[in-house]
Amino acid sequence: MECYWELKRGKAPGIDGVEVEEYGEKLIENLKELVSRMKAKRYRAKPVKRVYIPKPDGTKRPLGIPVVEDKIVQMGIKEILEAIYEADFVESSYGFRPKRSCHDAIDAVNVTIMTKPINCIVDVDIKKFFDTADHKWMMECLKQRITDPNFLHLIGRFLKAGVMEDGKYTEVEKGTPQGVVVSPVLANIYLHYVLDLWFEKVVKRQTQGYAGLIRYADDFVVCYQSRKEAEKFREKLKERLDKFGLKISEDKSKIIEFGHNVWYKAEREDSKVATFDFLGITHYCTKTRSGWFKLGRKTARARYWRKVKEMNEWLKGVRNSVSWIEWWKTLGLKLVGHYRYGGISGNMVAINAFHLTAVKMAYKWINRRSP
């Protein structure tokens, strides 16, 4: 019952068309029947409904929408897995963990670059991680800490439940759908063994200079003191990920020179230092008022214009559906949401620019309504 009340309301239903509120009309009866089926091992996870949302690069990201009953069971699984693995996860892992956020990961990058002898950044993105994670390796990772065969079998059923798209059922042999309640914690467990522990116990011990990893879900950066060691790490990483059925997204991954010494050298030679994006924030080298090195941060260009486009489309669509007094409040909430994510030290210029652009678009569409 606690898992049911943790579910978000107003979300799209799964393949059975039942919404969270509708399931709750006979909550006690439904939960008793669900528990009896689970105890008798008659419970079967239903396929997730496949939908697509646009990505910044023009492609579409597949999402999976489970039925309400499966969401409830997955919520319980998620809380059990978090209770087990939170004690094991390394400090450099920030994605989808209790009392941790993307801002914590961004701040960790800032602290590392400002306080450690960093000269090189390895910016890595795993290609379609949630679609390619190997089920057999996933179960092997879970067996490292879990011995209950019934619990493991239940997770395995969710992994192999399949997807329903346009009325057609498709079996899946790999991947864990995004949008599914249990997917983030499973992704963390998978990458904990594939990447985090390997980096801490193998890579760091073979590195002479400083090396530090900051990971948020499948997006991570590695800060290095030596470029040669950074290049060696990238080659070893390819082999490591390939062993577990994963690939590096070459067009989104790069090695750049970055940090105190690189910036001071660029200042003397009147050249520019490369930048890198992490979690929608562009990190660049700049200086304080006193002329000392400082890590600059601003909203990434791609994210900024995507948000502007989304705001424009929303204003265009809502202007005639309800009175402006009603949607004006929603506009304020949307702006606050943008400020809360991008409202980090040094990003005031981008925040102000977005505010002015949003206000101009709002007045533009208001004036299109009527005289």
Side-chain angles (χ1 to χ4, degrees), residues 133-235:
D134 188 272
H135 288 176
K136 291 183 179 179
W137 280 114
M138 178 73 77
M139 298 309 296
E140 287 299 318
C141 291
L142 291 169
K143 289 177 183 177
Q144 301 302 310
R145 292 282 275 118
I146 300 172
T147 57
D148 184 354
N150 294 326
F151 189 66
L152 291 171
H153 184 64
L154 185 61
I155 297 174
R157 284 182 174 177
F158 278 114
L159 291 175
K160 298 180 179 180
V163 298
M164 190 74 74
E165 184 177 358
D166 297 328
K168 296 181 180 180
Y169 172 76
T170 305
E171 293 184 356
V172 291
E173 297 180 355
K174 57 183 179 179
T176 171
Q178 289 178 270
V180 174
V181 176
V182 77
S183 285
V185 67
L186 289 178
N188 269 342
I189 293 170
Y190 196 83
L191 290 173
H192 170 71
Y193 289 104
V194 174
L195 180 63
D196 298 348
L197 286 184
W198 171 70
F199 185 84
E200 291 291 329
K201 296 185 177 182
V202 178
V203 175
K204 273 191 172 182
R205 293 177 181 178
Q206 297 175 354
T207 303
Q208 294 182 352
Y210 178 83
L213 178 146
I214 300 98
R215 180 177 67 83
Y216 188 92
D218 59 332
D219 192 6
F220 62 96
V221 295
V222 188
C223 304
Y224 265 96
Q225 184 174 355
S226 167
R227 184 179 180 90
K228 288 184 179 180
E229 291 184 329
E231 292 173 348
K232 288 181 181 179
F233 165 75
R234 183 181 168 106
E235 294 304 313

Side-chain angles (χ1 to χ4, degrees), residues 91-315:
E91 190 66 24
S92 59
S93 171
Y94 291 90
F96 307 110
R97 293 181 58 187
K99 298 181 181 180
R100 291 191 167 214
S101 68
C102 52
H103 286 107
D104 294 323
I106 294 170
D107 288 342
V109 173
N110 178 59
V111 171
T112 301
I113 293 175
M114 292 298 295
T115 61
K116 304 297 181 182
I118 305 302
N119 295 310
C120 192
I121 299 292
V122 184
D123 183 14
V124 184
D125 186 85
I126 300 176
K127 187 176 183 180
K128 296 182 178 179
F129 169 77
F130 286 92
D131 298 329
T132 58
D134 188 272
H135 288 176
K136 291 183 179 179
W137 280 114
M138 178 73 77
M139 298 309 296
E140 287 299 318
C141 291
L142 291 169
K143 289 177 183 177
Q144 301 302 310
R145 292 282 275 118
I146 300 172
T147 57
D148 184 354
N150 294 326
F151 189 66
L152 291 171
H153 184 64
L154 185 61
I155 297 174
R157 284 182 174 177
F158 278 114
L159 291 175
K160 298 180 179 180
V163 298
M164 190 74 74
E165 184 177 358
D166 297 328
K168 296 181 180 180
Y169 172 76
T170 305
E171 293 184 356
V172 291
E173 297 180 355
K174 57 183 179 179
T176 171
Q178 289 178 270
V180 174
V181 176
V182 77
S183 285
V185 67
L186 289 178
N188 269 342
I189 293 170
Y190 196 83
L191 290 173
H192 170 71
Y193 289 104
V194 174
L195 180 63
D196 298 348
L197 286 184
W198 171 70
F199 185 84
E200 291 291 329
K201 296 185 177 182
V202 178
V203 175
K204 273 191 172 182
R205 293 177 181 178
Q206 297 175 354
T207 303
Q208 294 182 352
Y210 178 83
L213 178 146
I214 300 98
R215 180 177 67 83
Y216 188 92
D218 59 332
D219 192 6
F220 62 96
V221 295
V222 188
C223 304
Y224 265 96
Q225 184 174 355
S226 167
R227 184 179 180 90
K228 288 184 179 180
E229 291 184 329
E231 292 173 348
K232 288 181 181 179
F233 165 75
R234 183 181 168 106
E235 294 304 313
K236 291 180 181 178
L237 179 64
K238 288 181 179 179
E239 297 176 5
R240 177 70 177 179
L241 295 181
D242 186 63
K243 177 182 177 180
F244 294 92
L246 303 174
K247 300 289 183 183
I248 290 178
S249 181
E250 297 292 346
D251 58 330
K252 297 181 181 178
S253 304
K254 58 184 178 181
I255 298 178
I256 64 169
E257 293 185 348
F258 197 95
H260 297 74
N261 296 330
V262 176
W263 180 77
Y264 285 124
K265 180 181 178 182
E267 286 288 290
R268 291 194 300 269
E269 299 175 354
D270 194 25
S271 58
K272 292 185 178 181
V273 180
T275 65
F276 68 95
D277 293 346
F278 182 57
L279 301 179
I281 300 295
T282 296
H283 295 72
Y284 61 97
C285 294
T286 184
K287 60 183 178 180
T288 65
R289 294 179 181 178
S290 303
W292 300 102
F293 168 81
K294 183 181 74 170
L295 177 66
R297 302 178 295 180
K298 62 182 180 181
T299 304
R301 184 180 180 87
R303 178 183 176 85
Y304 177 87
W305 288 111
R306 185 175 79 251
K307 291 298 180 181
V308 168
K309 183 179 179 181
E310 290 175 359
M311 179 67 77
N312 188 60
E313 292 297 321
W314 177 77
L315 288 167

Side-chain angles (χ1 to χ4, degrees), residues 7-14 18-21 65 71:
L7 298 181
K8 294 181 180 179
R9 272 53 177 169
K11 297 295 181 179
V18 178
E19 298 182 352
V20 175
E21 294 85 354
I65 304 177
K71 287 182 180 180

